[in-house]
Amino acid sequence: MMIRSVSTQPYDDQKPGTSGLRKKVPHFQQANYVENFVQSIFDSLEGFEGKALVVGGDGRYFNREVIQIVMKMAAAAGFGKVIVGQGGILSTPAASNVIRQSGAFGGIILSASHNPGGPKEDFGIKYNTGNGGPAPEKVTAEIYARTKSISEYKIIDAPDLDLDALGDFDLGGMTVSVVDPVAAYAELMESLFDFPAIKAMFDGGFTMSFDAMHAVTGPYATEILENRLGAAKGTVKNGTPLPDFGGHHPDPNLVHAKELYDLMMSADAPDFGAASDGDGDRNLIIGKGIFVTPSDSLALLAANAHLAPGYKGGLSGIARSMPTSGAADRVAEKLGIESYETPTGWKFFGNLLDADKATICGEESAGTGSNHVREKDGLWAVLLWLNILAARKEPAKDIVAAHWREYGRNYYTRHDYEGIDADAAEGLMAHLRAELSSLPGTKINGLFVSMADDFSYHDPVDGSVSENQGVRVMFEDGSRMVFRLSGTGTAGATLRVYLERLATDPDKLALETQSALADVIGAAEDLAGIKQRTGRDAPDVIT
Ligand code: VG1
Ligand code: CO
């Protein structure tokens, strides 16, 4: 085998964000940009010689090229094996599963998730550790440090490998196993959920629409929903992964999955609607006539998880990211189990899952998952919903209404201001931070502030501390607003404003969300001066 050492210069912008390194494709196509980052990952790891590395991505533009580079660099670095999904495809949760089941040292997942794909759009590289989860901050910090001093990378000279044929191949003395990306994942789902009951429900005429958004979940959803569970052909829409996602944003929210939303609100809606994102780790749940917020979905799934065989023994705890609504907390309280509040990003759930402190985790951004893998899992959430619907034999809308009557309803919305000027965004956050200590006791837009801080997380397992994870302002009536900047965008800055109010009065459970939150929304504008600082009159995306 011919290992070539190539000298290189560091780039100063390879800091991983909420979920890996994300940039525009042309940015990644700069000389050695990919190689520098991959070598920096390898340089910050120890003890992988002879072991396996899992590699796969969501099929977006540039996926195949980068996989060839990663494989040749893994061979040069001394990995014994690379396990890669056929066609270079592995959804994020499926990659997590392959890492865990194969006992691999770790994995490299190529995705920019819900961001658009194509020659001018987004790409991303993320490292996952041997537990199958995104590298914790300690590891990403080491990778970043390495990117700033790198002077050389190693790669073997070899022709590109065919990623479309299944089987074991030799690449410069290292084995490359090209595996079916769907099979092991589908087996895992079958082991967790009551497939016969769900199948009986479909056989009995239950209808569903699943929008795979031309992204990675298509083959998984087709195999599981249509082939194994007997859902009607055509249940899965946009099921063929495309390198540019058909020109759309593969982001399952009310803006980008509007067609599904409109269908579900119409007179001929099927019984249940769902969608997933670019890399298959997010989910959107829409029952006939009702959109279920991801925060509510987390609470509902936790409250009903015991109806699925994989969770019949109950949950050890529930974890949610800080901006996610408190709906799940009250479920935990009722179940008599712990609840945890972590910073945004799935990497913070890994320790809680590994230590069995939490069984189910979720984020307001349409991510839910459990201890079956170490990533959020879109299709898993959809299947747990189907299992619950099959067991309770009630429409989703009634299940949600009953949940609100029992626990109260957390009205919740997120307002995103995308692509704003980075300095203006930093200025807005700095201004908020400077105000924090003087806020308690004051009144904003008619609401009394009870507490205000910049969230910091103390990991109960490894004792690490993560600071500056979002500004929170709590009001005396129990409502709340949170401000943070996105760590996944690739152009300018994105301001996320999260707004929430708990209603327990049975007469106030059916209000329209934006009006139920109008005064909290007004308070956010009053305090942060969003219009004046960003020049924007309204959010780009409301979820
Ligand atoms: C967003 C979401 C966060 C999620 C992350 C990765 O991060 O808010 O909850 O974990 O995306 O999801 P940010 O920093 O932009 O708010 V995905 O589906 O991109 O892997
Ligand atoms: Co995703």
Side-chain angles (χ1 to χ4, degrees):
M1 160 173 68
M2 176 60 195
I3 298 181
R4 195 154 48 89
S5 295
V6 183
S7 66
T8 185
Q9 302 280 324
Y11 285 92
D12 63 4
D13 64 351
Q14 296 196 316
K15 184 172 189 202
T18 311
S19 184
L21 181 68
R22 290 189 190 171
K23 303 281 175 200
K24 297 281 177 212
V25 167
H27 202 91
F28 267 108
Q29 285 168 330
Q30 296 174 86
N32 300 342
Y33 197 85
V34 167
E35 290 84 348
N36 275 18
F37 191 68
V38 172
Q39 189 65 54
S40 298
I41 294 173
F42 294 161
D43 287 352
S44 58
L45 306 175
E46 266 170 36
F48 56 74
E49 287 75 17
K51 303 214 168 115
L53 179 74
V54 173
V55 185
D58 61 12
R60 70 179 58 225
Y61 186 87
F62 208 37
N63 192 43
R64 283 175 180 263
E65 290 85 341
V66 174
I67 288 180
Q68 297 292 345
I69 296 172
V70 172
M71 292 193 302
K72 290 173 193 176
M73 290 184 65
F79 278 95
K81 187 179 190 176
V82 159
I83 304 172
V84 60
Q86 187 179 24
I89 293 281
L90 276 177
S91 77
T92 292
S96 182
N97 182 46
V98 174
I99 295 170
R100 294 167 65 77
Q101 286 193 346
S102 67
F105 185 85
I108 289 185
I109 300 179
L110 306 172
S111 171
S113 189
H114 53 288
N115 297 2
K120 295 268 176 304
E121 298 295 350
D122 292 7
F123 191 76
I125 304 181
K126 183 171 77 156
Y127 178 69
N128 281 31
T129 50
N131 73 345
E137 280 196 321
K138 188 165 77 67
V139 177
T140 55
E142 274 170 36
I143 296 171
Y144 179 46
R146 183 67 194 146
T147 64
K148 291 192 283 191
S149 65
I150 188 166
S151 59
E152 184 185 90
Y153 69 85
K154 290 192 167 59
I155 191 160
I156 63 160
D157 280 322
D160 282 358
L161 212 80
D162 178 9
L163 295 176
D164 295 310
L166 292 172
D168 283 359
F169 306 92
D170 176 75
L171 184 70
M174 181 187 78
T175 305
V176 173
S177 284
V178 182
V179 300
D180 178 336
V182 177
Y185 178 84
E187 294 302 314
L188 176 65
M189 293 300 115
E190 205 153 349
S191 75
L192 296 173
F193 300 116
D194 189 348
F195 272 38
I198 302 173
K199 184 162 191 328
M201 180 170 75
F202 278 118
D203 290 347
F206 182 88
T207 53
M208 175 176 179
S209 183
F210 182 94
D211 188 351
M213 305 191 93
H214 291 300
V216 79
T217 319
Y220 296 86
T222 306
E223 169 61 17
I224 294 172
L225 297 174
E226 296 186 7
N227 298 350
R228 297 196 184 202
L229 290 169
K233 295 279 169 239
T235 295
V236 177
K237 310 269 178 343
N238 304 321
T240 307
L242 298 175
D244 68 348
F245 309 117
H248 302 294
H249 283 239
D251 192 348
N253 62 29
L254 299 183
V255 175
H256 298 297
K258 185 159 190 312
E259 223 170 281
L260 177 70
Y261 177 81
D262 290 343
L263 171 70
M264 295 310 298
M265 297 303 139
S266 73
D268 11 277
D271 296 308
F272 192 62
S276 61
D277 73 333
D279 61 333
D281 58 359
R282 297 188 181 199
N283 69 90
L284 172 72
I285 300 294
I286 314 181
K288 189 178 197 157
I290 188 166
F291 159 63
V292 187
T293 69
S295 294
D296 274 349
S297 181
L298 169 66
L300 261 145
L301 292 179
N304 292 281
H306 61 277
L307 298 172
Y311 306 92
K312 65 173 187 297
L315 310 177
S316 60
I318 307 172
R320 64 167 172 86
S321 69
M322 182 274 282
T324 303
S325 96
D329 300 5
R330 278 191 315 290
V331 173
E333 206 176 350
K334 190 146 196 174
L335 293 173
I337 56 177
E338 276 304 314
S339 54
Y340 299 88
E341 190 176 29
T342 60
T344 294
W346 209 261
K347 57 177 173 263
F348 295 101
F349 293 133
N351 279 346
L352 297 173
L353 292 166
D354 284 350
D356 198 27
K357 287 182 176 293
T359 309
I360 285 190
C361 308
E363 295 193 275
E364 52 64 43
S365 55
T368 358
S370 87
N371 59 359
H372 68 292
V373 288
R374 294 293 180 274
E375 290 277 6
K376 54 191 186 278
D377 189 342
L379 209 41
W380 170 90
V382 173
L383 290 166
L384 181 48
W385 261 100
L386 288 172
N387 196 141
I388 292 165
L389 293 170
R392 288 184 54 159
K393 301 184 170 37
E394 297 164 70
K397 193 170 183 177
D398 295 358
I399 293 178
V400 174
H403 187 92
W404 289 340
R405 280 196 303 275
E406 186 173 354
Y407 295 93
R409 175 175 179 185
N410 287 73
Y411 285 98
Y412 187 88
T413 189
R414 187 178 96 188
H415 289 193
D416 287 340
Y417 298 81
E418 295 179 342
I420 56 178
D421 179 72
D423 291 338
E426 292 295 343
L428 185 148
M429 291 304 294
H431 157 78
L432 286 174
R433 291 195 169 102
E435 297 270 291
L436 284 175
S437 60
S438 61
L439 287 180
T442 62
K443 203 163 141 190
I444 313 173
N445 198 32
L447 297 164
F448 281 99
V449 177
S450 57
M451 196 278 267
D453 73 353
D454 193 349
F455 181 63
S456 97
Y457 178 59
H458 297 251
D459 186 308
V461 179
D462 68 13
S464 62
V465 178
S466 304
E467 285 173 332
N468 304 322
Q469 297 296 324
V471 165
R472 348 180 246 186
V473 179
M474 320 282 204
F475 296 108
E476 267 171 15
D477 72 347
S479 9
R480 176 180 87 144
M481 54 193 191
V482 173
F483 302 83
R484 60 179 285 281
L485 299 183
S486 159
T488 57
T490 57
T494 292
L495 171 69
R496 303 203 196 283
V497 186
Y498 311 79
L499 307 137
E500 175 180 0
R501 157 166 294 143
L502 171 65
T504 48
D505 180 344
D507 296 332
K508 298 215 168 108
L509 298 178
L511 307 176
E512 192 277 319
T513 299
Q514 301 301 316
S515 37
L517 290 166
D519 55 349
V520 190
I521 295 169
E525 172 56 35
D526 282 4
L527 179 66
I530 302 171
K531 277 184 197 137
Q532 176 216 332
R533 287 175 177 273
T534 67
R536 299 289 174 83
D537 282 338
D540 298 277
V541 177
I542 295 181
T543 52

